[in-house]
C-alpha cells in the first residue's frame, strides 16, 4: 500500500493510493486537495464586505445576519454536495467495478458496474472547456452486442489527474481485466 | 476552369460593384443628412424615417458583437460531453469494412479501436 503524489490537470497536488487486496482485487484511490483556508477566508471576507456595504447603504441590520446565515449554509451545502475529498476505484476481477466518491462532509456515493457490462477501461482524450484533457473511462457494452460501446462512464471527474497518474491506474486495471478473459465466466 | 486568375468579366463585375457601392453610400448620406423639407420639395416623400439611418448601424454593430459571443457559445454547446460515445467512435467507424491483409503491401487505412490504441501507447511490451 503506497501513496504517490501527482498533480491534477489544474496543477493542484493529488495523491494516488493503490492497495492490492488479492490477486484479482485492487483498490485505487485518488485523494483530492483539501479545502484551502485562504480560499475559504477570501470568499467569506468578500461576502461579508459586500453585506457590510449593503448595510451602510440601506441601514438595515438584517443584511448582516442574512450574510452570516448565507455563509454558513453555503459552506455546509458546498461541503456536502460539491467538495469531493476522495475518489476510489475498486476492481474485482470476477465481479465488477465499484466507483466511490467521498465528499468532504463524509457522504459517500457509490456506483457498481458488473463485469459482464464492462468492455474495457481506457484513457480517452476529449475537449473540455477550451482544453484537451486525458481522462480515464469505463466503456460499457450491451450484453447482446459485445462489439459496440453502449456507454462511456468517465472516472475521477473532480480530481482530474494528469496522464502519468492515469497511466498507473490504467496499467493496474488492465492487469486485472486481462485475467477475466482467460478465466471462463460462469453464468 | 475554376482558376482565380483575373478575367475581363471579373473586372467588369468588380467595377459594377464598386460603382454600385459608391452610389449606395451617397444615397445613404443624402437620406441621413438632407433635411426632410428639401426632400419633400423635390417630390421624394416616401422614404423611410430618418430614425433608421442611425438605428440600422447601431443594430448591426451590436449584432456583430453578440455574434462573437454566440459563436463561442454554440461551439461550446456542440462539443460532445465527456460521457458520450461520440468521443470514441462515430457512424463511419462503426460501419467500416475490413480489407484483407496482403503480404508486402501497406495495410489499408482504417479506424483503430480505442482499446487497441491504448494498449499500444500505455502498455509497453518487450
Amino acid at each position: 500500500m503506497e501513496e504517490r503524489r501527482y498533480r491534477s490537470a489544474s496543477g493542484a497536488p493529488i495523491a494516488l493510493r493503490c492497495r492490492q487486496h488479492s490477486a484479482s482485487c485492487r483498490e485505487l484511490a485518488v485523494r483530492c486537495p483539501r479545502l484551502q483556508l485562504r480560499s475559504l477566508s477570501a470568499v467569506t471576507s468578500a461576502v461579508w464586505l459586500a453585506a457590510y456595504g449593503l448595510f451602510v447603504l440601506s441601514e438595515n441590520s438584517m443584511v448582516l445576519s442574512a450574510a452570516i446565515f448565507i455563509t454558513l449554509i453555503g459552506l455546509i451545502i458546498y461541503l456536502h454536495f460539491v467538495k469531493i475529498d476522495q475518489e476510489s476505484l475498486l476492481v474485482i476481477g470476477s465481479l465488477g467495478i465499484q466507483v466511490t466518491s467521498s465528499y468532504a462532509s463524509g457522504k459517500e456515493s457509490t456506483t457498481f458496474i458488473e463485469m459482464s457490462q464492462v468492455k474495457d477501461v481506457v484513457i480517452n482524450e476529449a475537449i473540455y472547456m477550451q482544453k484537451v484533457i486525458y481522462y480515464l473511462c469505463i466503456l460499457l457494452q450491451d450484453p447482446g452486442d459485445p462489439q459496440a460501446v453502449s456507454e462511456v462512464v468517465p472516472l475521477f471527474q473532480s480530481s482530474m489527474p494528469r496522464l502519468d497518474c492515469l497511466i498507473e491506474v490504467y496499467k493496474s486495471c488492465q492487469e486485472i481485466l486481462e485475467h477475466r478473459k482467460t478465466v471462463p465466466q460462469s453464468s | 476552369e475554376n482558376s482565380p486568375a483575373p478575367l475581363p468579366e471579373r473586372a467588369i463585375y468588380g467595377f459594377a460593384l464598386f460603382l454600385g457601392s459608391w452610389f449606395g453610400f451617397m444615397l445613404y448620406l443624402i437620406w441621413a443628412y438632407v433635411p426632410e423639407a428639401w426632400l419633400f420639395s423635390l417630390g421624394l416623400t416616401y422614404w423611410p424615417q430618418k430614425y433608421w439611418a442611425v438605428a440600422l448601424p447601431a443594430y448591426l454593430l451590436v449584432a456583430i458583437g453578440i455574434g462573437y459571443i454566440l459563436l463561442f457559445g454554440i461551439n461550446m454547446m456542440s462539443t460532445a460531453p465527456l460521457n458520450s460515445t461520440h468521443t470514441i467512435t462515430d457512424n463511419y467507424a462503426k460501419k467500416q469494412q475490413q480489407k484483407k491483409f496482403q503480404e508486402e503491401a501497406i495495410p489499408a487505412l482504417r479506424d483503430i479501436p480505442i482499446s487497441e490504441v491504448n494498449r499500444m501507447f500505455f502498455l509497453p511490451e518487450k
Side-chain angles (χ1 to χ4, degrees):
Chain A
M1 169 162 143
E2 70 251 15
E3 188 170 293
R4 271 172 291 201
R5 294 187 191 282
Y6 292 98
R7 290 211 167 257
S8 82
S10 52
I14 58 174
L16 170 71
R17 201 179 64 213
C18 180
R19 287 185 65 173
Q20 173 134 0
H21 295 281
S22 85
S24 64
C25 176
R26 245 178 233 178
E27 183 180 1
L28 301 132
V30 172
R31 204 161 38 88
C32 307
R34 301 221 178 260
L35 182 62
Q36 301 276 357
L37 183 62
R38 55 174 173 225
S39 60
L40 179 63
S41 355
V43 171
T44 309
S45 321
V47 171
W48 286 359
L49 275 175
Y52 185 70
L54 273 179
F55 166 69
V56 164
L57 283 173
S58 69
E59 306 285 333
N60 183 8
S61 68
M62 282 300 290
V63 175
L64 297 175
S65 339
I68 294 177
F69 273 128
I70 288 174
T71 313
L72 280 173
I73 293 178
L75 183 66
I76 292 177
I77 290 179
Y78 176 70
L79 291 181
H80 194 69
F81 291 110
V82 174
K83 179 89 187 84
I84 290 187
D85 202 26
Q86 172 172 294
E87 293 169 304
S88 77
L89 194 65
L90 177 69
V91 185
I92 306 177
S94 50
L95 197 60
I97 300 183
Q98 176 171 290
V99 184
T100 313
S101 307
S102 354
Y103 291 84
S105 63
K107 171 174 105 166
E108 286 193 4
S109 96
T110 41
T111 313
F112 180 74
I113 305 167
E114 53 176 348
M115 214 28 120
S116 63
Q117 283 182 330
V118 170
K119 182 165 191 278
D120 202 0
V121 172
V122 299
I123 297 180
N124 191 14
E125 41 192 40
I127 301 176
Y128 178 75
M129 304 273 277
Q130 301 90 47
K131 272 199 295 205
V132 175
I133 56 161
Y134 290 99
Y135 64 104
L136 197 72
C137 58
I138 305 179
L139 302 179
L140 301 186
Q141 69 193 8
D142 217 9
D145 183 12
Q147 291 305 313
V149 175
S150 71
E151 222 182 296
V152 172
V153 177
L155 304 172
F156 301 127
Q157 288 291 282
S158 303
S159 40
M160 291 278 197
R162 288 191 178 168
L163 190 59
D164 44 7
C165 180
L166 289 179
I167 293 181
E168 291 301 319
V169 179
Y170 173 76
K171 283 185 192 163
S172 279
C173 292
Q174 285 296 317
E175 277 169 21
I176 299 189
L177 289 178
E178 267 168 6
H179 293 319
R180 67 168 176 165
K181 288 186 199 102
T182 54
V183 174
Q185 300 272 354
S186 58
S187 52
Chain B
E1 305 95 333
N2 289 336
S3 79
L7 296 171
E9 292 90 19
R10 291 178 176 168
I12 295 175
Y13 299 154
F15 191 58
L17 272 176
F18 170 74
L19 286 181
S21 59
W22 264 113
F23 174 69
F25 185 53
M26 285 301 137
L27 197 64
Y28 172 74
L29 287 181
I30 290 172
W31 167 47
Y33 280 106
V34 171
E36 274 206 331
W38 297 15
L39 290 175
F40 285 170
S41 69
L42 284 174
L44 306 164
T45 54
Y46 204 59
W47 281 20
Q49 281 187 342
K50 283 178 189 282
Y51 161 79
W52 292 108
V54 181
L56 283 178
Y59 274 128
L60 192 65
L61 287 176
V62 171
I64 290 176
I66 289 183
Y68 277 112
I69 303 173
L70 195 70
L71 190 66
F72 190 66
I74 289 180
N75 265 330
M76 280 181 75
M77 275 175 55
S78 36
T79 307
L82 291 188
N83 63 350
S84 105
T85 51
H86 293 284
T87 53
I88 295 192
T89 183
D90 64 355
N91 278 335
Y92 298 104
K94 283 182 204 159
K95 292 191 197 135
Q96 64 181 345
Q97 288 135 352
Q98 309 273 357
K99 290 219 173 113
K100 277 224 178 80
F101 175 69
Q102 293 168 329
E103 286 290 334
E104 309 243 339
I106 299 176
L109 194 65
R110 69 183 177 100
D111 193 40
I112 305 177
I114 187 171
S115 310
E116 214 175 301
V117 174
N118 263 254
R119 274 194 285 273
M120 187 206 78
F121 273 132
F122 304 126
L123 293 178
E125 293 179 35
K126 306 285 168 160

